[in-house]
Amino acid sequence: MIPVAVLTGFLGSGKTTLLNRLLKSSQFARTAVIINEFGDVGLDHELVETSEESLVTLQTGCLCCAVRGDLERTLEDLLRRRDACTVTRFERVLIETSGLADPAPILHALVGDAGLGNRLALAGVVTVVDAVNGLATLERQSEAVKQVAVADRLVMTKTDLLGSTANELIARLAAINPSARLLTASFGEVDAGRLFDMGLEASRILRDATAWLGFDEHSSHGRGADRHHHDSEISTFAIVAQEPIRAVTLTLLLEVLAEHCGGDLLRMKGIVNVAECPERPAVIHGVQHLFHPPAWLPAWPSPDRRSRLVFIVRGIPQAWIEALLEALETEVSEVTRSISSCRG
Amino acid sequence: MSTGVPNHICRLLAECLKAWRVSGEVAYEPDGTLLLTVGCKRLSIACAAPDMPFRWMVHEDGRSRGATSVPGLLRAVRATVDPGHRPARLRIAPFPLGSP
């Protein structure tokens, strides 16, 4: 699998500076870069120093709007050229979105395309936040809030220009997305190893499930509100189920979430104790109404066998999902009992 | 003969209204059915009788619809109280997360 990372951040946040620094590091020597520019005259690609053949510019508009066509075609074309050895045999793909992009549809496209799914794997989302203007941008721009909300890693840039500490911004970022790791870049310099160690590979999840979920086990007390932060309408929360969840309940839950939440379900990830297979946890991950099939880990990563579901949503109350899970569990349980008694 | 609608369904429907951003309320009737009021619309929700091939019945303006499950019940209720909603279908990606 070739990992695909998404680099996003609002206009002027320092994405291109960061990208340039990354591409100079030996770890990123074999990276194909896709840059999405908004507007008729793109400039960012002129500023990125990488080999011509593995740099692709998409100028058809904002990537999130044209994503299904252009991004998928571009990735397919890159893979074809890689197979034909007409480009460097790249080992990862980095997509820099336009500053105005809503990242959710981009993730949706990366997770969902049938032709790409067997060769490319979403490695995660890095969101760049300007320490000087970040707070004001988050106040004004809903896209910026979404970019922070779906991030696996947050990189705060321009801290060297800041006269004081960025405590208020740090608190705001933690409120929007408590599960993302926050890194600081000075003049675009950041530890590349820590930036891209966030893949969705099962081996990585097994090694550190808590970090993958962004779930603080010390604050959990049964199903319910382990963390609930609001920023505008976007919130992140975790639901913990003490008892194993039946497979059909899980399927119905995902169906109802997809049907009723659509684009408001920005991201969901979880480790589930499925009643029919309690020895192996199922890992689920979805963006909007598109989910990966569950991946089964070979074993539980810790003695904690509770199901943990982390939601990043817009305007969806945690209480609704909890009530829904309870209603589905109850109904499945009643139907199962009813079938058993008919057979008995 | 149907039994009263359980509490967890009443709670769920009340939370649904909030999640769907629909102003309304849910309350029990003396016979154990639920009355969901949204503007001038009034829906009555009852458990289906045991001889019916449904689990839930939704009555509105003299018309009745059966629902075989909680997801079906929510679909029927939302279609009435939030007619502008365009439901999305769950899609499963063709490949799982990266292999271990």
Side-chain angles (χ1 to χ4, degrees):
Chain A
M1 287 281 196
I2 300 170
V4 183
V6 176
L7 178 63
T8 187
F10 206 69
L11 298 168
S13 57
K15 296 185 294 296
T16 307
T17 306
L18 179 67
L19 181 60
N20 264 327
R21 295 284 182 170
L22 288 174
L23 294 176
K24 282 179 183 159
S25 94
S26 55
Q27 282 177 274
F28 285 81
R30 291 177 177 271
T31 300
V33 179
I34 297 174
I35 294 183
N36 172 223
E37 302 196 68
F38 194 67
D40 292 334
V41 182
L43 288 176
D44 280 4
H45 70 284
E46 302 287 358
L47 306 175
V48 173
E49 298 161 32
T50 188
S51 57
E52 274 290 312
E53 74 272 16
S54 58
L55 173 70
V56 181
T57 312
L58 291 171
Q59 261 177 287
T60 51
C62 187
L63 189 55
C64 63
C65 309
V67 69
R68 291 225 159 69
D70 280 3
L71 178 59
E72 287 162 12
R73 269 194 298 276
T74 301
L75 288 166
E76 277 168 6
D77 182 52
L78 266 176
L79 289 173
R80 249 195 315 272
R81 285 158 57 196
R82 181 180 187 268
D83 294 341
C85 300
T86 57
V87 292
T88 311
R89 196 170 168 76
F90 55 85
E91 291 167 354
R92 75 171 73 226
V93 179
L94 199 51
I95 299 172
E96 181 191 344
T97 74
S98 84
L100 293 169
D102 171 355
I106 298 167
L107 304 186
H108 195 282
L110 289 173
V111 171
D113 187 79
L116 303 173
N118 61 346
R119 299 196 61 189
L120 301 173
L122 175 65
V125 181
V126 176
T127 299
V128 180
V129 182
D130 171 353
V132 179
N133 299 310
L135 208 51
T137 303
L138 290 169
E139 290 295 335
R140 288 194 314 268
Q141 307 291 349
S142 61
E143 294 89 350
V145 177
K146 280 180 93 172
Q147 289 167 353
V148 169
V150 301
D152 296 288
R153 298 283 180 272
L154 292 166
V155 180
M156 198 160 57
T157 57
K158 307 184 188 177
T159 47
D160 44 282
L161 300 177
L162 204 63
S164 56
T165 55
N167 289 344
E168 207 179 336
L169 176 60
I170 292 169
R172 187 67 185 276
L173 296 174
I176 299 170
N177 186 347
S179 66
R181 187 190 294 171
L182 178 63
L183 306 171
T184 300
S186 185
F187 300 103
E189 292 286 0
V190 67
D191 182 347
R194 292 178 68 205
L195 199 56
F196 290 98
D197 61 345
M198 61 195 173
L200 297 171
E201 299 88 354
S203 56
R204 195 186 302 279
I205 297 168
L206 185 61
R207 275 201 306 276
D208 198 349
T210 305
W212 179 71
L213 282 173
F215 179 85
D216 180 359
E217 305 203 17
H218 300 294
S219 65
S220 59
H221 302 286
R223 180 190 290 175
D226 296 304
R227 269 194 306 239
H228 197 167
H229 298 279
H230 278 278
D231 193 282
S232 309
E233 280 202 304
I234 294 178
S235 59
T236 305
F237 52 81
I239 290 178
V240 182
Q242 301 285 354
E243 298 300 322
I245 298 173
R246 288 182 175 85
V248 68
T249 305
L250 184 61
T251 305
L252 291 172
L253 176 70
L254 299 184
E255 279 190 355
V256 175
L257 290 173
E259 181 175 342
H260 292 276
C261 302
D264 290 334
L265 182 64
L266 299 178
R267 240 177 138 175
M268 175 192 172
K269 48 190 175 178
I271 293 183
V272 184
N273 187 338
V274 177
E276 290 83 351
C277 189
E279 297 308 313
R280 299 180 63 196
V283 175
I284 57 172
H285 177 251
V287 176
Q288 297 181 329
H289 61 279
L290 178 62
F291 279 77
H292 285 288
W296 295 90
L297 297 185
W300 282 90
S302 78
D304 186 353
R305 294 192 170 194
R306 295 170 306 166
S307 299
R308 286 152 281 173
L309 304 171
V310 176
F311 294 86
I312 301 170
V313 297
R314 182 176 48 207
I316 300 171
Q318 177 174 351
W320 177 66
I321 299 178
E322 287 172 344
L324 176 62
L325 184 54
E326 182 192 3
L328 292 172
E329 277 180 333
T330 305
E331 184 164 83
V332 169
S333 168
E334 284 171 6
V335 170
T336 307
R337 265 201 310 273
S338 167
I339 292 170
S340 300
S341 68
C342 285
R343 285 181 179 160
Chain B
M1 190 66 188
S2 63
T3 54
V5 177
N7 266 326
H8 65 265
I9 296 295
C10 179
R11 248 192 334 269
L12 173 62
L13 289 171
E15 290 298 335
C16 280
L17 294 181
K18 292 180 203 162
W20 302 339
R21 300 176 180 91
V22 171
S23 294
E25 56 183 45
V26 188
Y28 272 106
E29 294 281 78
D31 64 355
T33 59
L34 284 177
L35 182 65
L36 196 148
T37 312
V38 173
C40 58
K41 289 177 181 163
R42 290 161 64 88
L43 277 78
S44 170
I45 293 148
C47 297
D51 58 344
M52 298 284 282
F54 304 113
R55 285 182 59 79
W56 314 100
M57 296 302 296
V58 181
H59 308 280
E60 188 211 4
D61 279 345
R63 288 175 302 160
S64 296
R65 294 171 65 176
T68 56
S69 62
V70 167
L73 172 65
L74 299 188
R75 195 172 301 131
V77 171
R78 190 160 194 185
T80 305
V81 303
D82 186 14
H85 171 67
R86 294 286 166 266
R89 279 195 151 182
L90 177 67
R91 280 183 60 205
I92 301 294
F95 296 95
L97 297 168
S99 307

